[in-house]
Amino acid sequence: MSETSGKSKIAAGLLGILLGSFGAHKFYLGYTTPAVIMLVLYLSSFVFAFLFIGFLWMWIPGLIGIIEGIIYLTKSDEDFQQTYVIGKKPWF
């Protein structure tokens, strides 16, 4: 892990895979706006689930979290730090 940050790619990756629907990995990395977007999208799907519209977008934040978690875990420590911690790349 880089000395410029205490952010771990393993923690971010696991948060993405396990709690990605809630945007936990984005909150962890300090990306508040994208995290809130994912959280609102996920929670709003429950509101509209009674119309069956919510079920269509309920899986989207979870899929994004899984994909980003896998991307985080497959990058080298240096690439992860440069891209997501220093470079502040919020999506994929």
Side-chain angles (χ1 to χ4, degrees):
M1 182 169 29
S2 173
E3 293 186 23
T4 59
S5 172
K7 303 298 181 190
S8 163
K9 78 171 191 172
I10 294 173
L14 290 176
L15 284 170
I17 291 169
L18 300 174
L19 299 171
S21 295
F22 303 107
H25 59 298
K26 294 198 178 290
F27 280 116
Y28 175 74
L29 291 172
Y31 306 143
T32 306
T33 302
V36 169
I37 290 170
M38 288 183 71
L39 184 60
V40 168
L41 180 64
Y42 184 71
L43 294 177
S44 68
S45 67
F46 287 104
V47 174
F48 293 106
F50 69 94
L51 296 173
F52 297 105
I53 298 169
F55 293 119
L56 297 175
W57 73 64
M58 184 179 286
W59 58 271
I60 294 171
L63 183 62
I64 290 171
I66 290 170
I67 291 169
E68 288 184 333
I70 291 169
I71 289 171
Y72 296 163
L73 292 173
T74 57
K75 285 194 171 283
S76 69
D77 289 337
E78 296 80 24
D79 285 344
F80 174 79
Q81 292 294 322
Q82 187 63 38
T83 304
Y84 298 104
V85 178
I86 297 169
K88 297 285 186 191
K89 182 180 177 186
W91 298 100
F92 298 101

